[in-house]
Amino acid sequence: MSRMDVVRTGRSSWRHGGGRASLGALVFGLACAAGAAEAAPAIRWEVANRFPLFRNEDHFRALAGIYAGLPLADRQNRPVMALEVELEKRADARQLDKVFGDPSTIWRFGWASALVRSTCFSATNRGHWACRLTNGEDYVGARRADILASLTEPLAGRDCQWLVNGTVAATAACDKQIRLADLPIGTAFTLAARADGSAVAEAPGQTIRPVTILGMGDSFASGEGNPDKAAVLGTDVNNFQESSRLSGESGWRGRLRLYPLRYKHNFDKSFGIGALWINQQCHRSLYSHQLKAALAIALEAPHVRVTYLGYGCTGAEVFEGLLGYWAARDDVPKDRPGKAGQYDASPQVMRALRDLCPRPLKGFNRFSPPPRFSWQSDLKRCAAFKQDPDILLLSIGGNDIGFSRVIAGEALVAGNHFLSLRRAAERLWIKGAGPITFRDATAAESSLSDRYHILAQAFERLLGLNASQIIQTGYPQMLHTGSGTCPHASSGEAGTAGMDLHEIFRISKPTTGADSVAFVDGLNAKIRALGAGIGWQVVTGFADEFKGHALCQPGMADGSNGPDGLRFPVSTPTGQRWTPFSPPRWQAYRPRQRWFVTPNDAFLTANTMRTLAGSGGDPHMNGRAQPVLAATLSGSFHPNALGQAAMGDAVLTALRQKLGLPVPGAPVP
């Protein structure tokens, strides 16, 4: 019996979206009798798991079912945002299918928490290259895939033989969806169905189209600030060596801030139960707009199989991150004798070569920086890729001109009392460099031209990607409220909306809001001009959509004023009573009005702390710097899941155009 004879009958979840998203199979057949009113059956089919980065097909089928239930207008115009909101609403209402995890707890962790440890990225192998799918195929370079087929006009009470290229592959009831295993990817085949020896329908010239999408870039590409599973906070408290006073308090008599500790926190051994990421070192997340756009292609194009390879890394620049080594969150364990670690500081282009090139992976498995390294001489393209990339999604440039240093200058206020804390944050957050102004960063934009041209050359020489295959995103507005900008204050509570967890955070300059808006507009204009000169497609239109969803805006997306608002929780000395909410009740992924992660959000969601010797962190688990690190290293001032979704929809529009795929519901050419 050939492998084509293997039939795995469909589950109810497979039937759910079987034909709703079909591109339109070829209608073929004869009317049963002259003058018959019934339509002739046609064959419709879809690739069973069109996004095999999710190794568990049930995960994709569950997402496909939810996607299929979205209004057509949403699937056409804003499918990434609509799907994200629907997932978050169902998680909050404990109505997500159990494939996403325990409904009684998933509302707190986020819908992606059940998927993060069952993807085709392996932290131990530092890539996707070693992933073997359930059908025995490699994730990268797969040759065959399963499909789900059915008839548009089911023939009740009859059995159908299903044929692939004229050979009977399966027999099943004509009114049931059937699974056909191991159809060729990228090679045309003919599907046919017959009943009682007579032809029912035929669909010649069908093809499973392989699409390979790479994702590279900085923290906006990685999804920083949105761990796949949020940290678990408890009600035990610590003042971290009297780190900060409560808002509105001053002087030595001022009441101290008491911070929640992670559940099962132990000062002698560990921080407790922390956040999980698909890649801990790069803070790479399933909430990334690049991944979400690729997933949307798979959801809406039933005859496409998407291989997504993501490499975005927080803090990355062109020469430190994409083409050169970059440690990112370097507290990830390195290799030890006899044990494989997860540390990987290799350039993102090298990581792509590691995945795309056939084994053995000579030259692409150097995870720590060598004494000398030059991408021009040390990176070489292999003779042939396992599969050629079609599109590269790119977000880069913000770190190259020092945007994080601008934020440090505009949102961190430190007198002598907090100067050591500010320096601790700067050592880790902005690589030890001092704060700069918006004007300084604008002047640094002149360096982007050479960097982009060099990057374009590297993509073509090493990955075979020409300029027309690159889609680059700009950056969103952060402080635009729709009618103005986030307020400032030299002291007191104003200017601390969403960042009152520590005295060091404040928008203190009256010019910050307006300068931020002008800076983002100018940077996006610069990126558009440079991209057009190279031939890249640059996507920046989403930036204006962030207006009205600023960092400082409270409330939920549905207009209600949720219990968290923008305030950081306040505790009694024992931690038994909290206002306005208890930290264990924090829901990282409820649809909020703001599309940015505030320092408060970052502390409560990711809670990244540091004690690693030599890393620049505070060596004491209860040291004064830990609350500041738990905010700055956890992704504050980055798009949250909704912000990433808004960016994803903009990228999706460009992806459809590049791949020549229609908008759902549009007539098939």
Side-chain angles (χ1 to χ4, degrees):
M1 183 174 65
S2 68
R3 294 193 70 190
M4 189 60 71
D5 296 321
V6 176
V7 178
R8 296 190 282 270
T9 55
R11 305 178 187 179
S12 58
S13 61
W14 294 339
R15 299 189 197 108
H16 184 89
R20 290 193 182 188
S22 176
L23 289 173
L26 295 176
V27 177
F28 198 97
L30 300 173
C32 296
E38 295 183 1
I43 293 173
R44 59 188 175 192
W45 63 273
E46 61 175 301
V47 180
N49 186 357
R50 302 190 291 279
F51 199 70
L53 178 70
F54 299 151
R55 293 184 64 185
N56 183 346
E57 185 181 312
D58 288 344
H59 289 152
F60 176 77
R61 298 312 310 174
L63 290 170
I66 296 172
Y67 166 84
L70 298 175
L72 178 60
D74 282 345
R75 286 185 279 130
Q76 292 175 329
N77 302 313
R78 55 188 299 271
V80 181
M81 177 66 78
L83 180 62
E84 179 62 35
V85 170
E86 184 64 22
L87 286 167
E88 292 185 6
K89 283 183 177 178
R90 292 192 186 197
D92 182 42
R94 280 75 160 174
Q95 293 176 349
L96 273 181
D97 189 277
K98 288 188 177 181
V99 71
F100 292 102
D102 183 358
S104 65
T105 59
I106 203 69
W107 59 271
R108 180 173 62 182
F109 298 137
W111 64 265
S113 59
L115 285 63
V116 64
R117 287 297 181 257
S118 59
T119 73
C120 263
F121 174 82
S122 170
T124 302
N125 291 323
R126 291 97 160 182
H128 311 80
W129 61 270
C131 181
R132 185 65 60 88
L133 303 174
T134 55
N135 66 351
E137 293 286 325
D138 289 335
Y139 173 60
V140 183
R143 297 163 298 172
R144 295 183 174 273
D146 295 358
I147 70 169
L148 307 175
S150 62
L151 295 174
T152 57
E153 301 294 333
L155 306 177
R158 301 173 67 183
D159 286 341
C160 280
Q161 287 183 320
W162 287 88
L163 296 85
V164 178
N165 294 331
T167 300
V168 176
T171 300
C174 293
D175 59 352
K176 300 296 184 183
Q177 186 180 73
I178 191 168
R179 186 184 190 95
L180 301 174
D182 298 328
L183 274 77
I185 296 174
T187 301
F189 56 86
T190 296
L191 293 177
R194 65 188 182 196
D196 303 324
S198 299
V200 173
E202 186 178 11
Q206 303 300 291
T207 306
I208 298 174
R209 179 182 174 183
V211 170
T212 302
I213 299 172
L214 310 185
M216 292 188 183
D218 53 22
S219 53
F220 282 67
S222 72
E224 171 69 279
N226 301 282
D228 299 296
K229 184 175 182 179
V232 183
L233 299 181
T235 57
D236 290 340
V237 296
N238 187 267
N239 65 23
F240 289 100
Q241 297 180 0
E242 303 183 355
S243 173
S244 181
R245 293 174 294 271
L246 290 171
S247 297
E249 300 286 333
S250 61
W252 66 274
R253 292 182 181 274
R255 290 181 299 166
L256 293 172
R257 164 74 66 188
L258 297 175
Y259 296 89
L261 301 178
R262 292 189 205 160
Y263 183 62
K264 295 186 178 180
H265 187 288
N266 186 321
F267 280 116
D268 296 325
K269 297 180 180 179
S270 71
F271 280 119
I273 302 175
L276 295 179
W277 309 77
I278 189 173
N279 180 269
Q280 202 80 14
Q281 188 169 352
C282 284
H283 277 193
R284 193 180 313 131
S285 166
L286 298 177
Y287 291 98
S288 159
H289 72 271
Q290 294 180 343
L291 185 147
K292 287 184 173 184
L295 172 61
I297 289 292
L299 289 170
E300 68 185 30
H303 295 179
V304 166
R305 179 194 183 275
V306 175
T307 300
Y308 175 74
L309 303 172
Y311 308 103
C313 197
T314 188
E317 302 177 10
V318 170
F319 296 127
E320 288 185 286
L322 269 68
L323 299 179
Y325 281 79
W326 168 241
R329 299 293 177 250
D330 60 357
D331 53 347
V332 172
K334 295 185 179 182
D335 288 357
R336 291 171 291 171
K339 293 187 177 181
Q342 299 180 5
Y343 181 86
D344 185 6
S346 56
Q348 292 177 40
V349 170
M350 180 188 288
R351 301 183 195 203
L353 292 170
R354 189 185 305 158
D355 283 332
L356 293 170
C357 293
R359 285 170 278 182
L361 305 173
K362 294 181 179 179
F364 306 132
N365 55 355
R366 301 186 297 262
F367 308 118
S368 297
R372 295 180 181 178
F373 176 80
S374 168
W375 74 268
Q376 294 96 329
S377 58
D378 292 341
L379 291 181
K380 293 180 174 59
R381 182 176 174 179
C382 49
F385 292 145
K386 290 183 283 187
Q387 61 188 80
D388 293 332
D390 295 286
I391 299 291
L392 188 149
L393 306 180
L394 179 66
S395 170
I396 201 70
N399 293 320
D400 294 77
I401 63 172
F403 187 50
S404 59
R405 296 171 61 189
V406 176
I407 294 176
E410 301 292 329
L412 296 182
V413 179
N416 291 334
H417 187 59
F418 292 118
L419 191 58
S420 62
L421 298 187
R422 178 167 182 159
R423 288 172 176 168
E426 291 169 2
R427 280 197 300 271
L428 287 168
W429 185 25
I430 55 177
K431 299 188 295 187
I436 61 175
T437 66
F438 283 110
R439 180 176 296 181
D440 295 330
T442 300
E445 291 175 7
S446 60
S447 68
L448 292 179
S449 179
D450 287 344
R451 293 181 180 223
Y452 284 0
H453 278 88
I454 290 171
L455 196 55
Q457 295 169 11
F459 288 154
E460 186 158 14
R461 179 164 73 84
L462 297 173
L463 299 175
L465 290 163
N466 60 49
S468 67
Q469 294 173 282
I470 312 298
I471 300 174
Q472 185 186 13
T473 54
Y475 294 90
Q477 290 289 353
M478 186 190 306
L479 301 181
H480 201 305
T481 63
S483 58
T485 59
C486 292
H488 75 282
S490 58
S491 62
E493 292 192 35
T496 64
M499 54 181 80
D500 61 329
L501 79 138
H502 201 285
E503 293 173 82
I504 200 172
F505 294 105
R506 182 181 301 114
I507 298 175
S508 62
K509 300 177 184 177
T511 57
T512 295
D515 286 349
S516 171
V517 172
F519 172 78
V520 172
D521 285 343
L523 176 59
N524 283 338
K526 181 73 170 181
I527 291 175
R528 284 196 303 271
L530 292 175
I534 297 172
W536 294 349
Q537 182 167 354
V538 179
V539 178
T540 61
F542 61 83
D544 285 343
E545 295 182 29
F546 277 73
K547 295 177 180 179
H549 302 284
L551 181 79
C552 61
Q553 292 189 273
M556 299 294 112
D558 60 6
S560 64
N561 191 9
D564 60 298
L566 285 164
R567 292 176 55 194
F568 197 80
V570 176
S571 171
T572 58
T574 60
Q576 297 304 306
R577 184 168 60 84
W578 295 80
T579 56
F581 63 95
S582 180
R585 305 291 298 176
W586 169 252
Q587 294 173 256
Y589 296 111
R590 283 191 67 193
R592 294 177 167 83
Q593 184 68 19
R594 60 185 177 274
W595 286 0
F596 267 88
V597 176
T598 69
N600 291 359
D601 298 340
F603 181 102
L604 295 166
T605 300
N607 206 251
T608 302
M609 297 186 181
R610 295 288 288 277
T611 60
L612 187 68
S615 71
D618 193 318
H620 304 290
M621 296 196 75
N622 63 341
R624 298 185 76 225
Q626 294 298 355
V628 177
L629 299 179
T632 56
L633 295 182
S634 296
S636 53
F637 309 110
H638 287 81
N640 62 17
L642 295 183
Q644 288 284 346
M647 297 176 70
D649 276 325
V651 170
L652 174 62
T653 299
L655 261 179
R656 287 170 176 163
Q657 295 170 352
K658 291 287 186 185
L659 296 172
L661 293 170
V663 175
V668 179

